[in-house]
Amino acid sequence: MLLAENLFIERQGKLVLDDVSLSLSAGEVVGVLGANGAGKSTLLAMLAGELAPQRGRVSVDGTPLDRLDNAHLARQRAVLPQSPSLSFNLGVCEVVAMGAYPFPELSTFDVEQLMIRALALADVSHLAGRRYPQLSGGEAQRVQFARVLVQVLAARQSRGGRFLLLDEPTASLDPKHQQALLACARQLARDERIGVLVILHDVNLAAAWCDRLALLAQGKLVGCGDPASVLTPATLAAVYGVEAEVIPHPRDSNRPLVLFN
Amino acid sequence: MSSVTSPLSSPLPAASKTSRWRTPAGVLGLLSALLIALMLLSASSGALHIPLTELPGLLFSASGPDETLWRSVLIDVRLPRVLFAALAGAALALSGAAMQALFRNPLAEPGLIGISAGGALGAVGAIVLGGGSFLVLAPSAFVGSLVATVAAYHLGRRYPGMAGLLLAGVAINAICGALVGLFTYLADDNQLRSLTFWNMGSLAGASWPLLAGLAPWTLVVGALIARDWRAMNALLLGEREALHLGFPLKAVRRRLILLTALLVGPLVAATGAIGFVGLVVPHLVRLALGADHRWLLPTSVVAGAIALTLADWLARIAVIPAELPIGIVTSLVGGPFFLWLLAQRRH
Amino acid sequence: MKQRLALLLAAVAAFFTLSVSAAPAAPQRVVALGGPLTEIVYALGAGNRLIGVDQSSTYPEAARALPKVGYYRAFSLEGVVALKPDLVLASDQAGPPQALEQLRRLGLRVIVLPSAPTLDALEQRMHGVAAALGLRNDGRAMVIELRKQVDALAARQVGPTRALLLINRSGNPEGAGFDTSADAMLRLAGYRNVLAKQKGYKPLSLEGIAALKPDLIVTSTASLAASGGLDALLARPGIATTPAAQQRRVIVMDDLLLLGYGPRLPQALRELKAAPAVASR
């Protein structure tokens, strides 16, 4: 379990995260929602071990992150940051294969198998022969997704939980690929017992694919739980500052549908 | 990643649609063969005419006065110089590739973090204050480059990312440049001329004792740099991505900078300033092969060796019996070639 | 007829004595690294033995036709070896540093001579070159002649004329301070260098020059060309107001003659001392 307890961080006098606690267990998909600047990416950076909280702690299976070195951590969790900025001339396969770097013990054959699977899961098998800089924004995003899939799939090697942290992975994708990516993430969570945390802006997309949602507003957690109980007009007003109406989804009454006015 | 993408062993499509020799391994093999041919050509030509048929035999023995002279020129003058050119070119290109990865910028080169400027300051200081014998000049240049690099690193590391190092490097370069200017102002006529020649670079100092010291050093430090090829690839993705893939960024950065200074410092000390190779060779290789450091590093090493061997050969045969300073040749030949290549890419 | 016979005999005898005294040791294939050394070889009448020189050897005219092995500070090792010399005459500023040592290791005879701009060093150069060429006596005669001429010239006082020596290599004229061959030359000629307090060649402070008021300006042919000619030089602010410029008291000499400290030193001194009342263009 990836566990964040009472995280607190302040930057230039501004509270970025204030007493935020969140857990991510094997097999579940947790969505993080919040307005711009609510602290979503900071939370993700702390869960990734990239940024240390000023107060509070983050632990993996009971071990605090600051006691794990980078190489070790990379064998348990993969991170897809927002808007990757690769401009060098690498092939798609070369980028995807980097996901296996934390696992030098894997044979070339093993890496190949992982890559084939990841490329298919991210729906980019047809791009395997292309150069990365020539891809469109959405294609590049999916290739990067394939890379973190390789990493998290290879992590089966290591003992303990596996975690996949995705920062707005659907930002430059068309609706079909948004659905496909989140479906893939959920399938992996179920099949491979991976804990997936995903930052999203589309509330309904989050409601459709996430088991639990965490709502952040001005650095505070204003709600955390299953979509139906968390997505209420009150919490949505607190998070986004706009009026919203929540109705049951016409196709699946267990699922809420949010309509912003 | 040729094994990963090879069409025989996996259902993945081939990364390259072109013929077999365009694969990274093919290019590397081809360039290695070219390097060996070029080194042979360079060793067999020069101001002193040695008949080609005599060359192999001369390596082992010589009889008669002519042959004795040929043999000593071949063994004591040309061979160390050819090997030194290849070694220096390889090291300059490797360090350039490492810096470009570290700064995530194709325009980076070792000079960016003060290595060349510090070396120049050390050399100029030795010439003006210390009489300028080679025994003082070389260590002084090496110390200068190391101190400048370490200073740039320490001053720059307080800022996040590479921006701090870059800015500190710019400042160190400016300070070293100003001090060189000051020394130049203080220099007398003879010292000024020595300075000029140091700045143009020269491989004329090549000798077996120098090679015996520099070659093992360069090979070991070069190998240590090349060992980080995965980290360099990861850095291309981004600094955060490299961190997520398990590379301790600060340690990698410190290691690569120190190793680069240790690799290039002694060379700068022994040859003076030879520009262009470190900047352009990795760039050319990247244009041809892509940026995967698994192939970029070894190919840059070979291509750098080719570039400097070629430049040295031209420098030695262009104006027989005199020779041109090699720094001039690298820039004069490399510059237009590079421009031509860039123009080709447009179409 | 008798006279002719006597002449012939004398010539034959001379030929034999020369060849006997010179044959075993005297080198016949000489490379000179340094313009002044080349000049001395020619002055000793041994110019035909030179097979290669460096790029600073621009005098006499014949030297320009010889193969060049690079500038003496960065000469080509293999270029020298390829000429197969039996003697290499090198200035102590010749380089690169290890190259002379390597020449020796290849079995070549290398004679290194001092390059300092002093009369003593010049005499050592003459003696050294002559001895290396097997012309010891000619060298001695040359030095005696040099001393005689220099002494005679030194006796002719020119008065305490304040002189400025300008060198221009890059477009901006530089003045010669102490520790330069130019300064040594001025003092040998009996002039007072107005820049005697600065060291080396330094860019001119035009205001300073105006304040120092030199009576005479000395410069070299190449420097004058780089300054854009005599009129352009004298019209420069700071220089234009000096007595030297206003009276057009300017001496222009060939670079190697003025600064080389070679065997033409007496000629150089003579030209320097013949300070013109009004310079011609």
Side-chain angles (χ1 to χ4, degrees):
Chain A
M1 185 156 77
L2 185 59
L3 185 63
E5 295 165 277
N6 313 103
L7 300 186
F8 176 93
I9 189 165
E10 192 185 47
R11 254 187 243 133
Q12 283 142 16
K14 183 181 174 275
L15 273 177
V16 180
L17 287 182
D18 185 7
D19 198 26
V20 172
S21 297
L22 187 67
S23 70
L24 181 62
S25 310
E28 70 168 341
V29 179
V30 174
V32 178
L33 295 173
N36 296 327
K40 303 184 298 289
S41 292
T42 305
L43 175 63
L44 184 121
M46 282 185 184
L47 288 169
E50 196 181 319
L51 195 66
Q54 283 157 353
R55 286 207 299 271
R57 66 167 212 163
V58 182
S59 58
V60 177
D61 300 330
T63 314
L65 280 196
D66 49 19
R67 281 212 227 124
L68 289 171
D69 68 30
N70 243 319
H72 198 95
L73 200 55
R75 296 172 63 89
Q76 277 195 277
R77 66 97 187 87
V79 187
L80 181 63
Q82 221 171 325
S83 58
S85 61
L86 173 69
S87 58
F88 279 89
N89 178 14
L90 284 173
V92 164
C93 280
E94 287 160 356
V95 172
V96 175
M98 282 191 217
Y101 278 178
F103 309 91
E105 72 276 15
L106 288 180
S107 70
T108 316
F109 178 78
D110 292 339
V111 176
E112 261 178 48
Q113 296 307 311
L114 287 170
M115 282 172 63
I116 292 167
R117 190 167 164 210
L119 286 168
L121 284 171
D123 191 22
V124 284
S125 298
H126 61 291
L127 299 175
R130 298 268 295 275
R131 308 301 295 174
Y132 186 89
Q134 293 161 356
L135 302 179
S136 74
E139 289 171 334
Q141 181 116 10
R142 275 146 57 206
V143 167
Q144 294 279 356
F145 182 58
R147 171 176 68 79
V148 297
L149 286 183
V150 166
Q151 188 179 354
V152 83
L153 287 174
R156 194 187 298 164
Q157 311 286 315
S158 39
R159 260 160 276 157
R162 287 187 282 165
F163 307 96
L164 181 58
L165 312 178
L166 308 168
D167 195 349
E168 294 188 33
T170 57
S172 44
L173 300 186
D174 55 52
K176 174 190 151 198
H177 282 109
Q178 291 186 358
Q179 300 285 344
L181 187 143
L182 289 170
C184 165
R186 186 155 85 175
Q187 199 58 45
L188 278 180
R190 301 288 188 266
D191 297 349
E192 299 267 344
R193 305 296 298 157
I194 294 170
V196 179
L197 181 113
V198 53
I199 295 178
L200 290 169
H201 270 306
D202 185 330
V203 180
N204 288 315
L205 203 58
W209 297 103
C210 298
D211 301 312
R212 288 193 297 137
L213 293 178
L215 272 60
L216 278 175
Q218 279 109 49
K220 284 198 176 66
L221 202 57
V222 295
C224 186
D226 65 277
S229 63
V230 173
L231 295 178
T232 63
T235 54
L236 288 167
V239 170
Y240 295 109
V242 289
E243 273 182 43
E245 195 177 327
V246 183
I247 57 170
H249 198 281
R251 296 267 175 80
D252 177 0
S253 54
N254 295 329
R255 183 160 34 120
L257 182 65
V258 177
L259 306 168
F260 288 107
N261 298 330
Chain B
M1 300 277 118
S2 78
S3 50
V4 169
T5 59
S6 91
L8 288 176
S9 66
S10 93
L12 290 176
S16 158
K17 289 175 211 122
T18 39
S19 57
R20 179 169 294 260
W21 69 269
R22 279 297 297 274
T23 62
V27 171
L28 186 56
L30 210 68
L31 287 178
S32 303
L34 183 62
L35 173 62
I36 290 169
L38 201 58
M39 286 172 79
L40 289 176
L41 171 70
S42 183
S44 63
S45 51
L48 183 71
H49 177 71
I50 304 178
L52 271 177
T53 48
E54 302 279 345
L55 276 173
L58 284 175
L59 289 175
F60 305 103
S61 67
S63 57
D66 262 357
E67 294 202 347
T68 312
L69 179 66
W70 290 343
R71 181 174 149 81
S72 41
V73 165
L74 183 66
I75 304 260
D76 295 328
V77 179
R78 269 192 214 160
L79 280 185
R81 181 148 175 179
V82 170
L83 290 173
F84 190 44
L87 185 76
L92 288 172
L94 178 65
S95 63
M99 286 297 107
Q100 289 170 9
L102 194 61
F103 282 95
R104 309 186 61 232
N105 188 327
L107 291 179
E109 47 119 11
L112 212 57
I113 48 172
I115 296 181
S116 319
L121 178 58
V124 171
I127 289 170
V128 175
L129 303 176
S133 90
F134 188 70
L135 284 179
V136 184
L137 196 152
S140 165
F142 176 47
V143 170
S145 65
L146 206 57
V147 167
T149 308
V150 171
Y153 175 76
H154 275 279
L155 295 172
R157 78 191 160 142
R158 282 151 209 267
Y159 292 82
M162 298 303 286
L165 183 55
L166 196 65
L167 290 173
V170 168
I172 294 276
N173 270 320
I175 293 168
C176 287
L179 289 176
V180 166
L182 187 63
F183 276 129
T184 309
Y185 181 80
L186 293 174
D188 68 26
D189 200 37
N190 277 333
Q191 292 166 343
L192 267 184
R193 287 167 204 234
S194 304
L195 286 182
T196 311
F197 281 104
W198 195 87
N199 269 326
M200 285 192 284
S202 167
L203 294 170
S207 65
W208 288 115
L210 185 74
L211 271 179
L214 263 186
W217 172 270
T218 305
L219 292 180
V220 169
V221 178
L224 288 175
I225 290 179
R227 229 173 46 145
D228 270 330
W229 68 268
R230 283 193 177 87
M232 293 183 210
N233 272 354
L235 269 168
L236 294 188
L237 293 178
E239 301 197 355
R240 294 182 66 193
E241 284 85 346
L243 209 64
H244 298 149
L245 283 171
F247 297 100
L249 260 194
K250 276 187 183 159
V252 168
R253 193 179 294 159
R254 189 171 53 224
R255 185 165 66 230
L256 280 180
I257 285 169
L258 187 68
L259 286 174
T260 302
L262 290 177
L263 182 72
V264 182
L267 281 174
V268 169
T271 63
I274 298 178
F276 215 67
V277 175
L279 175 66
V280 165
V281 168
H283 207 81
L284 291 180
V285 175
R286 209 177 286 115
L287 285 180
L289 286 187
D292 184 359
H293 286 82
R294 178 174 177 179
W295 295 105
L296 177 63
L297 296 183
T299 312
S300 291
V301 162
V302 176
I306 288 177
L308 214 55
T309 308
L310 184 68
D312 179 53
W313 179 64
L314 290 176
R316 289 191 300 121
I317 64 158
V319 288
I320 284 179
E323 60 188 52
L324 291 170
I326 188 154
I328 294 177
V329 180
T330 52
S331 304
L332 214 56
V333 177
F337 175 67
F338 190 51
L339 285 177
W340 174 79
L341 208 90
L342 288 179
Q344 296 288 304
R345 297 282 296 187
R346 285 276 167 78
H347 302 302
Chain C
M1 194 65 192
K2 264 187 184 173
Q3 266 184 326
R4 275 200 182 170
L5 192 68
L7 255 171
L8 188 69
L9 277 172
V12 170
F15 176 75
F16 271 107
T17 24
L18 261 180
S19 51
V20 165
S21 67
Q28 297 301 320
R29 300 180 61 81
V30 182
V31 170
L33 304 174
L37 300 180
T38 305
E39 265 198 73
I40 294 174
V41 174
Y42 274 101
L44 286 166
N48 55 347
R49 298 199 217 167
L50 282 171
I51 52 164
V53 292
D54 85 306
Q55 272 158 358
S56 72
S57 301
T58 53
Y59 184 90
E61 202 56 38
R64 291 173 185 263
L66 289 169
K68 298 277 188 287
V69 296
Y71 189 57
Y72 68 106
R73 285 164 183 282
F75 71 87
S76 161
L77 176 63
E78 202 178 316
V80 172
V81 175
L83 294 172
K84 297 187 184 158
D86 49 14
L87 173 67
V88 177
L89 297 169
S91 152
D92 58 7
Q93 295 291 332
Q98 307 91 328
L100 288 178
E101 199 41 55
Q102 248 177 327
L103 280 179
R104 287 205 180 94
R105 255 189 279 134
L106 289 172
L108 294 183
R109 189 166 160 228
V110 180
I111 304 285
V112 177
L113 296 156
S115 62
T118 63
L119 211 50
D120 282 348
L122 173 57
E123 289 180 5
Q124 282 173 39
R125 281 196 283 281
M126 289 173 160
H127 280 307
V129 171
L133 291 169
L135 301 170
R136 212 174 278 276
N137 291 333
D138 301 67
R140 221 168 276 145
M142 186 185 240
V143 169
I144 289 170
E145 181 60 25
L146 173 79
R147 273 195 201 144
K148 206 172 84 188
Q149 291 197 27
V150 170
D151 287 347
L153 286 163
R156 271 174 44 201
Q157 288 299 322
V158 287
T161 309
R162 298 157 50 78
L164 167 68
L165 199 146
L166 289 178
I167 292 295
N168 190 339
R169 299 190 183 95
S170 55
N172 276 322
E174 297 179 351
F178 73 91
D179 259 7
T180 61
S181 59
D183 177 65
M185 203 68 184
L186 284 184
R187 279 189 287 128
L188 200 60
Y191 291 116
R192 275 175 52 194
N193 185 355
V194 293
L195 290 177
K197 280 183 184 154
Q198 75 170 24
K199 185 185 174 196
Y201 296 96
K202 292 282 142 54
L204 281 177
S205 143
L206 294 173
E207 213 180 301
I209 297 307
L212 287 168
K213 296 187 186 123
D215 299 316
L216 172 69
I217 289 175
V218 181
T219 189
S220 73
T221 323
S223 299
L224 196 62
S227 304
L230 186 62
D231 291 329
L233 177 70
L234 294 185
R236 277 185 190 247
I239 294 179
T241 60
T242 61
Q246 285 177 350
Q247 296 159 36
R248 297 183 73 84
R249 281 162 58 90
V250 180
I251 302 178
V252 183
M253 282 162 69
D254 171 70
D255 290 70
L256 199 57
L257 176 64
L258 178 60
L259 304 171
Y261 261 76
R264 288 183 292 159
L265 183 70
Q267 182 196 340
L269 289 177
R270 242 187 319 274
E271 286 189 22
L272 271 179
K273 292 202 170 203
V278 175
S280 55
R281 301 222 168 147

